[in-house]
């Protein structure tokens, strides 16, 4: 059988910010009772990172946990490990009401590189991207122009964006347009 | 009342236009009227006019809390069409459209009804089927419409991009005798005619209470004193719920904002009204040259007459895609109105739990085009107790599941 | 252009991230309910010029439904709260009373 | 003549010449010019024609309030009508043409109207053009439309060559207006540490102050501006944007900023406009004030200009409007213009001051310079046609008897100043009438309120009615500090720097000049220059009962021009109040609506055009469809192949081929867009029993069941196959359109009604590519791929199974929407394209044929399966469609059950689903209605049914249709008549809706 492919096979655009589809990324959608220690420790073990706080991204390289909603987390891991992580969770949580699904193929991930990452996102999302308002490690679920998305900063010059796979081409075009040379706003270190 | 004509103008020109009398008398309320209409918008004034014209009832007062024609009558995008799907809708809107044809002459006031044609674009297979169905229905309803080809669409509207990348135009439902009219003139013309029949149009007169005896309406309390009446008609778009509560009943209505905008005026470039429901926008060009633009309603209860700007963005986005040449035109002015929306998005013209009290409301975004038909039917309902034009629009349809649902064919119903 | 604070994720969300869901605290009536009750449940709506309790979903966000108490004349927001309640919580009512003394709400006042 | 003076022009760089053309004529200007100043420098005073009478028009102002100097700018894909010459920065190669005239600006036929003006008073068109009726559409209206409209319409096929974008910005304090008040307010606000965004609509900071003079803290306003600007630029919490207009203020602290990035430099890269969507805790509007014209006869003749504007052209651009300028005023400020002109060596024959008491120190200064000052006098009329030749002087208190005529070629007028209160008013700020200043000013304590019910807009400087330099600076300092405090910062109470300027005598309101002007003068005294509304028009409106200010505005079109009444509203209001004998506050103002000045549609649409207009959702197999010539059909935001035409095939032929291939051999469908929702939890079964009309809790793991969903008012909203994965997990298939809406529907009920039920849902639609392998050879193909036993026994109809096929991880559903043997194969999206390719390759021996949505529809119709959106339209209940078998009788409740008990829903006269066959095998028209005898009370033809789906059936070789018919199921075999667009009717026989394989043997093999 052939190797699975990501939505855009690492398409790349270099403007005043560099936009790149991040390729295959393991993602496990998890729903459960976030107030239960049993549940959170199981999730944290499976992910290999500490539990994120409210609207936070707890990251360690390709692994991580994203706070998605009061009863939902997204586990990040290398693509081939998603099923294993999911199985492991289902095993440990077999007798607690929860949901764990491999949704790695349902989404696309993008990385933004450059001084202007905050400005590029501020063109598209109704979010205060000022450095003191949105810091690395925070996560925001919102919309970028017309599609749902979540994003976080790994640093002041690197952002990651996830959206549904079917709108990956739109997202790529959108981010590239916002990063076009000559359109820098120069507000947040751009 | 001076008759309006080119001759009259020429005559007045010779005497510095000093001879024109008031278009409508200044009136103070009498103690009692046969009929009191609350709301001097198009619908209220038209109701009064046809009460007098068709039923000889002229002891009528029309009460207006602000200035006449100051509500949605003066805030809409003036589109007139009757290409509705369901029989009751087609009946009342076509009655209205046909009355618009002769309104200027009937009222001796030029309301500038312009039957320039109304086009509803089909941009998905589903819309094609929906509009073909409407054309079939219309053919049995006495409404003249046809489903036309993209080629014909382009001929009629050269500025349209019919093979847009996202939603190519697959055809359109075309009503050649639909069009627009000068909205203020409709209210002013009816007001002038009502006044000439001896009716009192009382502005700055707000109703503060509804009086009744033994389950029957007996009058209204107003900021200009109590006024007795045998029959009461409530025609107050945007405030129907509040007024109904004064009369002791509730209605299935929510009030939301509807916005519109105009561009700066340019020389004529579009002779028809175009509605694009897939992308939610519609546009026509006024006689003044402005592109008159509207879209969908806001989603939450709102009495501010201000909408949210993102709806303007969505509408303009849709129209720039449909008519790329407007991209470098400028938005001159945006505004909002309050529209009453019912459970099935169709209006209510009905008796009420209070004997002698009638209500006309819930026109949502489509009230202007209905004004004469609504007035005609509502006058008949008030005078006779029922009217074939209004029977299906009664309040009890909501407890029997007898909805009149137009969303089947029309997305935005302007 | 409204902003409402999502009581679940704490985001001060703007209208374009939200989905309006109409009047809050409706009681569902199912089979065997009276015509009156059923009509009221489906169609009769508070449409006040003033304090309105309404449903919103943080659709471009955490996806949760919540309730808001808002004035339809000024768009002032008195508070937002989770949807898992059949009537406005006391603290919300107190907040409203503080700003709109003597306000009433048909079902619960 | 108007000309460039040898020296002067603080904004122009005489070392940099620029070339441009006006009406094809080559002209030159300097860097820093506006188009207006450059045209004036070339003695091009005549710039346009008015709307109604086509009167010759020159600029009357120097900024955003200009109603006259509107031009067509640029050409081709950069053409833009109605561009204000006064706010258009000159650039090399600019091309402009004048508007609204034929054949030429100088000789305009339309100007005849001006001679007819007596018979074209306000609202004349409401009183004529009515007879004969037919003439309106064919004669009158075309004439009116042609003569109306201002700028040329862009070419029908033009495509904007520029791009646009949006930008979200959050700030503590937004200050609108970069004049000295705005700078002052921004400074005091910023000193508190608050984040401040300061917007200036023009390219220059400092506003009017540098032109008007005086000193601030011992410095000239210009130096003070530069110094303060430098301070602000040095503060990290301050953002400054010039060429950015505060366009509108909206609820909850939302404001629009309209940034013009390349209008002054069209060749520069990047977007042309950027629309700032600003969310501010506090908004300070420091938008200044606008000078008012005076209403005297001939006040619209080119060469008559606002005194402040004339001063601007002189000081900012070194341009004189005329050699001999008469100044007409009711206040001291206009004397500054006279003095400036005189100092520039120009002649000022007289200053006509309507005030009997005259002016103060400035008047003395003027007199000292030898300028003749006439007190208590007014202008009876301006002499001249296409430009001023003189003024006739009269007593202001008289009726216009001429005392003296003064030759001049320019008139500078000043009727006082009006604060710019637009932004304050957009969101409901109230106004008070200021008797002393004769203007509306923001009412203290009546500001717009935000989400917390607290005021969020405040006004600083002249916009707040503070007309002295010292006063406005102090006000701005305090307002800025107060805004910061309100935004939650600790602002030190700042004292503004000392400011000095000459003291002024109070103005005297003058609404008509002379006070008792005769009709022939009043009908030449303009209020609205662009729309040609005169004093006599407003008086006529009042006489005819159009007493509300809104009535007058709409009846006369006063203030409805592209300047939105910036110059005319107050004068018109005063004229109306005098006519009504009411006070100005009694009459009130019209509503201020955004935007402050017009903003481009392109900016409003932002990036959303072309490819970004709306997202196009793509399945993992999208590219294959594209490569193989799919004809696309938009379905929601998806695009699905409608069919795959080959060679010369038209769509109909392609569909026939695809259908036949499926029936006879093997078809392939990309079903990835179908919704897939996981429902999991101890209460999942109970939950689905409420959602679906049929019983789902009894479904066995490993099995599938077709289900229907209804809304609470009983109507069918979605359908699909539900698979039970394990004891507490279900996978619900929805329609393509239903994936998001049904998932939201589920979450809504779980969160807001049954929140105590233990159920989680997840929309996994996009996790899988789903491919339907359909047709008699389907099983053989899957067996050829290998990896899973797909025999009838191992995988019976309506069962599903996990495993691998051809090495791909798959879940196979044995379900059919075509009536054929059919497997729907779900594989992770990342494998989708590869699996599709493999199926195509291995299926070649059976001529495997990918088919589109239309073939899908035909196949299901042949089988009598309903389609949501065809058989349903939001008014249809399952019972109408003969789906009672899918409605559980056992369940006490499900969504829609109560509504289905409504009298209207149980009415036996509801139309019911049947099949329809024409007598001649033709295809029934789409959407046709079945006619019945007679008409209803409204004279509409009675009906007894309608067509819901109609196709040519390749399998049966004839037209087939489904429809809803009155008592249909009881009328089998009966023939009824259907409408045809050509007018005749088409007979069709009522039959069973299942046209193909009624026993369902084929899908069961």
């Amino acid at each position: 059988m052939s190797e699975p492919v990501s939505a855009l096979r690492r398409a790349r655009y270099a403007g005043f910010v560099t936009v790149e589809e991040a390729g295959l990324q393991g993602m496990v959608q998890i729903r459960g009772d976030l107030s239960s220690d049993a549940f959170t420790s199981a999730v944290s073990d499976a992910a290999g990172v500490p539990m994120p706080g409210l609207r936070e991204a707890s990251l360690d390289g390709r692994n991580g946990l994203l706070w998605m909603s009061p009863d939902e987390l997204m586990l990040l891991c290398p693509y081939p490990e998603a099923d294993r992580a999911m199985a492991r969770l289902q095993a440990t949580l077999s007798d607690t009401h929860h949901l764990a699904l491999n949704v790695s193929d349902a989404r696309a991930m993008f990385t933004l590189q450059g001084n202007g990452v905050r400005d590029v996102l501020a063109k598209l999302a109704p979010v205060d991207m000022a450095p003191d308002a949105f810091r690395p490690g925070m996560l925001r679920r919102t919309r970028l122009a017309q599609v749902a998305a979540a994003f976080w900063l790994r640093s002041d010059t690197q952002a990651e964006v996830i959206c549904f796979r079917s709108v990956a081409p739109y997202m790529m075009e959108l981010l590239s347009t916002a990063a076009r040379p000559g359109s820098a706003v120069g507000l947040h270190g751009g | 009342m001076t008759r309006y004509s080119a001759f009259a103008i020429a005559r007045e020109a010779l005497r510095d236009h000093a001879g024109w009398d008031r278009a409508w008398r200044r009136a103070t309320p009498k103690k009692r009227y046969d009929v009191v209409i609350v709301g001097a918008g198009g619908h209220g004034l038209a109701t009064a006019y046809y009460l007098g014209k068709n039923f000889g009832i002229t002891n009528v007062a029309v009460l207006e809390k602000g200035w006449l024609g100051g509500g949605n009558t003066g805030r809409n995008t003036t589109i007139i069409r009757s290409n509705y799907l369901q029989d009751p809708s087609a009946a009342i809107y076509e009655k209205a459209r046909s009355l618009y044809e002769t309104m200027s002459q009937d009222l001796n006031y030029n309301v500038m009804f312009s039957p320039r044609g109304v086009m509803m674009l089909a941009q998905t297979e589903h819309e094609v089927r929906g509009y073909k169905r409407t054309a079939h229905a219309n053919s049995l309803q006495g409404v003249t419409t046809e489903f036309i080809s993209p080629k014909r669409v382009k001929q009629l509207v050269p500025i349209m991009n019919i093979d847009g990348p996202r939603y190519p135009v697959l055809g359109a439902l075309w009503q050649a005798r639909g069009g627009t009219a000068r909205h203020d003139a409709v209210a002013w013309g009816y007001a002038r005619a009502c006044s000439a029949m001896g009716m009192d149009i009382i502005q700055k007169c707000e109703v503060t209470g509804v009086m009744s005896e033994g389950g029957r309406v007996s009058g209204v309390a107003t900021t200009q004193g109590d006024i007795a009446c045998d029959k009461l008609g409530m025609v107050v778009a945007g405030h129907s719920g509040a007024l109904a509560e004064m009369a002791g009943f509730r209605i299935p209505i929510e009030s939301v904002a509807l916005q519109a905008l105009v561009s700066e005026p340019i020389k004529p470039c579009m002779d028809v009204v175009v509605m694009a429901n897939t992308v939610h926008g519609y546009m026509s060009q006024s006689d003044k040259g402005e592109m008159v633009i509207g879209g969908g309603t806001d989603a939450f209860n709102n009495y501010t007459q201000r909408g949210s700007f993102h709806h303007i963005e969505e509408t303009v986005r849709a129209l720039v895609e449909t008519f790329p040449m407007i991209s470098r035109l400028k938005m001159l002015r945006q505004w909002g109105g309050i529209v009453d929306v019912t459970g099935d998005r169709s209006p209510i013209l009905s008796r009420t739990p209070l004997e002698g009290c009638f209500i006309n409301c819930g026109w949502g975004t489509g009230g202007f085009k209905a004004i004469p038909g609504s007035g005609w039917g509502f006058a008949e309902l008030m005078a006779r107790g029922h009217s074939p034009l209004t029977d299906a629009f009664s309040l009890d349809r909501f407890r029997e599941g007898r909805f009149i649902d137009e969303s089947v064919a029309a997305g935005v119903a302007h | 252009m409204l902003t409402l604070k999502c009581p679940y994720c704490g985001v001060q969300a703007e209208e374009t991230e939200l989905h309006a869901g109409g009047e809050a605290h409706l009681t569902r009536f199912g089979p065997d309910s009276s015509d009156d009750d059923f009509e009221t449940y489906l169609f009769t709506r508070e449409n006040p010029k003033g304090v309105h309790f309404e449903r919103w979903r943080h659709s471009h966000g955490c996806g949760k439904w919540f309730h808001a108490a808002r004035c339809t004349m000024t768009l002032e927001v008195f508070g937002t709260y989770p949807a898992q309640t059949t009537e406005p919580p006391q603290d919300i009512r107190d907040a409203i009373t503080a700003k709109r003394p003597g306000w009433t709400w048909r079902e619960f006042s | 003549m108007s000309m460039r003076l040898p020296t002067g022009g603080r904004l122009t760089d005489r070392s940099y010449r620029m070339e441009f053309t006006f009406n094809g004529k080559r002209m030159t200007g300097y860097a820093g010019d506006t188009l207006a100043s450059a045209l004036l420098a070339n003695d091009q005073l005549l710039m346009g024609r008015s709307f109604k009478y086509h009167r010759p028009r020159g600029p009357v102002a120097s900024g955003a309030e200009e109603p006259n100097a509107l031009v067509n700018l640029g050409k081709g894909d950069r053409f833009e009508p109605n561009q204000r010459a006064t706010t258009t920065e000159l650039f090399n190669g600019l091309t402009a043409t004048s508007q609204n005239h034929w054949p030429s600006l100088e000789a305009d036929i339309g100007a005849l109207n001006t001679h007819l003006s007596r018979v074209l008073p306000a609202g004349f068109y409401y009183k004529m053009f009515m007879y004969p009726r037919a003439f309106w559409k064919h004669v009158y209206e075309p004439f009116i439309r042609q003569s109306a409209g201002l700028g040329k319409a862009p070419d029908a096929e033009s495509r904007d060559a520029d791009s646009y974008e949006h930008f979200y910005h959050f700030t503590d304090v937004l200050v609108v207006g970069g004049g000295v008040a705005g700078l002052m307010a921004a400074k005091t606000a910023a000193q508190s540490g608050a984040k401040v965004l300061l917007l200036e609509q023009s390219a220059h900071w400092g506003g009017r102050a540098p032109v008007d003079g005086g000193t601030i803290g011992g410095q000239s306003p210009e130096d003070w501006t530069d110094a303060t600007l430098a301070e602000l630029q040095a503060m990290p919490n301050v953002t400054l944007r010039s060429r950015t207009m505060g366009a509108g203020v909206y609820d909850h602290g939302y404001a629009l900023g309209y940034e013009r990035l390349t209008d002054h430099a069209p060749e520069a890269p990047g977007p042309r406009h950027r629309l700032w969507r600003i969310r501010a805790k506090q908004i300070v509007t420091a938008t200044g004030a606008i000078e008012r014209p005076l209403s005297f006869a001939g006040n619209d003749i080119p060469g008559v200009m606002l005194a402040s504007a004339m001063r601007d052209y002189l000081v900012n651009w070194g341009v004189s409007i005329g050699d001999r300028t008469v100044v007409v005023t009711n206040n001291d400020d206009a004397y500054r213009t006279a003095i400036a002109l005189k100092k520039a060596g120009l002649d000022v024959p007289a200053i006509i001051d309507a005030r009997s008491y005259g002016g103060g120190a400035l008047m003395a200064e003027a007199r000292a310079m030898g300028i003749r000052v006439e007190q208590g006098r007014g202008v009876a009329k301006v002499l001249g046609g296409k430009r001023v030749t003189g003024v006739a002087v009269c007593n202001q208190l008289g009726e216009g008897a001429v005392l003296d005529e003064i030759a001049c070629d320019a008139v500078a007028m000043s009727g006082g100043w009006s604060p710019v209160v637009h932004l304050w008013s957009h969101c409901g700020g109230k106004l008070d009438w200021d008797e002393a200043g004769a203007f509306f000013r923001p009412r203290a304590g009546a500001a717009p309120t935000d989400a917390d019910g607290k005021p969020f807009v405040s006004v600083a400087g002249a916009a707040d009615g503070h007309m002295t330099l010292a006063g406005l600076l102090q006000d701005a300092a305090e307002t800025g500090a107060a805004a910061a405090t309100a935004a939650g910062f600790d602002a030190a109470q700042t004292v503004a720097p000392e400011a000095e300027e000459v003291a002024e005598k109070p103005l005297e309101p003058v609404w008509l000049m002379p006070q008792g002007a005769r009709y022939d003068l009043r009908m030449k005294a303009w209020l609205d220059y662009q729309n040609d509304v005169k004093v006599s028009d407003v008086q006529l409106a009042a006489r005819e009962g159009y007493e509300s200010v809104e009535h007058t505005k709409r009846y006369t079109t006063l203030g409805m021009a592209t300047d939105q009444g910036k110059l005319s509203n107050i004068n018109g209001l005063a004229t109306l109040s005098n006519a009504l004998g009411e006070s100005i506050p009694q009459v009130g103002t019209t509503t201020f609506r955004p935007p402050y000045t017009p903003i481009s549609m392109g900016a409003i649409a932002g990036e959303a055009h072309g490819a970004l207009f709306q997202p196009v959702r793509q399945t993992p197999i999208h590219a294959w469809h594209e490569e193989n010539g799919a004809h696309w059909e938009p379905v929601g935001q998806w695009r699905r192949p409608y069919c795959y035409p080959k060679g010369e095939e038209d769509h109909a032929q392609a569909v026939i081929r695809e259908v036949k291939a499926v029936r006879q051999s093997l078809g392939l469908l990309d079903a990835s867009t179908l919704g897939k929702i996981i429902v999991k939890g101890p209460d999942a079964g109970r939950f689905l029993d409420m959602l679906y009309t049929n019983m789902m809790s009894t479904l066995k793991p490993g099995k599938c069941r077709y289900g229907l969903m209804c809304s609470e008012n009983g109507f069918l909203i979605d359908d699909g196959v539900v698979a039970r994965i394990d004891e507490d997990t279900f996978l619900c298939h929805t329609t393509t359109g239903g994936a998001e809406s049904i998932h939201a529907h589920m979450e809504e009920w779980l969160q807001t009604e049954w929140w105590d039920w233990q159920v989680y849902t997840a929309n996994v639609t996009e996790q899988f590519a789903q491919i339907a392998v359909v047709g008699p050879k389907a099983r053989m193909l899957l067996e050829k791929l290998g990896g899973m036993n797909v025999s009838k026994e191992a995988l019976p109809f309506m069962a599903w199974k996990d495993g691998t096929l051809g090495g791909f991880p798959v879940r196979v559903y044995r379900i059919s929407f075509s009536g054929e043997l059919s497997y729907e194969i779900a594989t992770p999206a990342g494998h989708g394209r590869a699996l599709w390719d493999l199926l195509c390759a291995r299926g070649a021996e059976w001529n495997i044929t990918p088919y589109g949505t239309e073939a899908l529809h035909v196949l299901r119709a042949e089988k009598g399966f309903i389609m949501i959106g065809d058989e349903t339209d939001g008014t249809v209940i399952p019972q109408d469609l003969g789906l009672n078998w899918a409605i559980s009788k056992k369940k006490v409740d499900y969504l829609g059950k109560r509504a289905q008990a409504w009298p209207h829903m149980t009415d036996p006269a509801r139309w019911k689903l049947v099949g329809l066959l024409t007598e001649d095998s033709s295809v029934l028209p789409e959407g046709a209605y079945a006619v019945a005898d007679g008409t209803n009370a409204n004279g509409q033809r009675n009906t007894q049914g309608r067509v819901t789906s109609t196709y040519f059936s390749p399998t049966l070789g004839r037209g087939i249709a489904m429809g809803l018919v009155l008592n249909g199921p009881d009328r089998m075999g009966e023939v009824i008549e259907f409408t045809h667009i050509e007018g005749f009717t088409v007979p069709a026989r009522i039959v069973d809706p299942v046209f193909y394989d009624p026993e369902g043997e084929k899908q069961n093999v």
Side-chain angles (χ1 to χ4, degrees), chain B residues 3-6 9 13 16-18 20-24 26 67-68 74-75 85 87 90-91 101-102 104-105 108-110 112-116 125-126 129 132-133 136-137 140-141 154 158-159 161 165-167 182-185 188 203 261 263-271 279 285 287-288 293 305-306 309 313 316-318 320-321 324-336 388-389 398-403 405 408, chain D residues 51 77-83 100 118-119 121 124-131 133 136-137 141 145-151 153-160 162 250-251 256 272 277 426-427 519 531 540 543-548 550-551 553-555 560 562 564 591 593-595 598-602 604 608-610 613-616 633 636-637 639 715 869-870 873 902 904 925-929 931 937-938 940-941 943 946 979:
Chain B
R3 184 172 165 74
Y4 290 161
S5 68
I9 289 182
D16 302 346
H17 297 279
W20 296 112
D21 18 308
R22 299 175 59 90
W24 50 84
R26 205 185 256 130
W67 41 281
L68 70 88
R75 294 171 194 279
L85 177 68
D87 284 352
E101 292 263 8
T102 58
S104 296
Q105 293 70 31
N108 177 233
Y109 199 106
N110 191 349
M112 301 176 208
F113 172 61
S114 169
R116 55 184 61 184
E125 294 295 336
H126 185 258
R129 287 191 289 269
K132 283 184 175 173
R133 175 183 168 190
H136 279 279
L140 300 174
Q141 294 159 336
K154 183 70 177 175
I159 66 171
N161 177 18
R166 190 64 181 82
Y167 296 110
R182 179 80 181 86
H183 55 9
D184 294 317
W188 298 341
Q203 304 184 78
L261 65 120
S263 76
E264 294 182 324
I266 54 173
K267 291 296 177 187
C269 62
M270 180 163 120
D271 297 329
V279 293
Q285 186 173 24
D287 284 345
K288 222 168 152 282
I293 288 172
Q305 295 193 333
R306 294 189 302 268
F309 190 73
E313 288 177 356
V316 169
R317 187 193 298 162
V320 169
E321 193 68 11
M325 59 83 83
I326 72 168
S327 178
R328 290 178 94 90
L329 300 186
K330 299 189 224 67
M331 174 174 77
L332 174 61
R333 182 182 174 88
Q334 65 167 101
W335 67 92
L389 281 177
F398 294 102
R399 69 187 297 127
E400 295 169 10
R402 264 190 305 105
F403 308 125
D405 190 337
V408 177
Chain D
F51 191 88
D77 288 350
R78 284 209 158 89
F79 171 80
E80 181 177 19
N82 301 321
Q83 192 58 19
N100 199 36
R118 249 178 195 278
V119 290
F124 72 96
Y125 33 75
Y126 296 125
K127 297 172 177 164
M128 54 196 287
F129 302 137
M130 287 178 275
Y131 317 92
R133 187 157 75 84
W136 174 255
K137 182 170 186 212
E141 190 187 23
R145 292 193 70 197
Q146 271 310 330
S147 48
L150 274 177
D155 176 74
E157 298 303 330
S158 67
R159 299 290 184 267
D160 195 335
D162 287 303
Y250 302 82
D251 292 285
L256 282 185
R272 175 183 175 223
R277 297 149 145 174
H426 283 166
C427 215
Y519 182 81
N531 276 359
L540 175 63
R543 185 178 324 123
E544 293 193 86
Y546 300 90
E547 297 170 334
S548 149
E550 282 287 350
H551 283 156
K553 165 188 150 190
R554 291 152 179 262
Y555 190 66
M560 295 173 79
T562 62
Q564 290 284 287
T591 319
R593 298 284 195 176
I599 64 177
S600 67
M601 299 288 181
I604 297 169
H609 60 85
F613 169 56
Q614 270 184 22
V616 175
E633 171 181 6
Q637 287 191 321
R639 280 205 210 157
F715 301 120
D870 289 343
D873 64 2
W902 267 325
H904 184 61
E926 278 187 329
Y929 274 76
V931 296
N938 289 313
Q940 300 168 315
R941 180 72 184 267
T943 55
R946 62 180 180 90
T979 52

Side-chain angles (χ1 to χ4, degrees), chain D residues 154-176:
Chain D
D155 176 74
E157 298 303 330
S158 67
R159 299 290 184 267
D160 195 335
D162 287 303
S163 68
Y164 304 84
E165 69 181 22
H166 295 158
F167 186 71
Y168 287 93
H169 185 72
F170 294 71
T171 187
D172 298 314
V173 178
L174 165 67
V175 180
V176 180

Side-chain angles (χ1 to χ4, degrees), chain B residues 254 301, chain C residues 22-23 46-48 50-54 68-72:
Chain B
E254 295 197 88
N301 298 49
Chain C
E23 185 179 342
E46 305 283 336
N47 191 29
V51 181
H52 188 238
F53 295 93
E54 57 197 13
R70 187 179 58 87
C71 175
T72 60

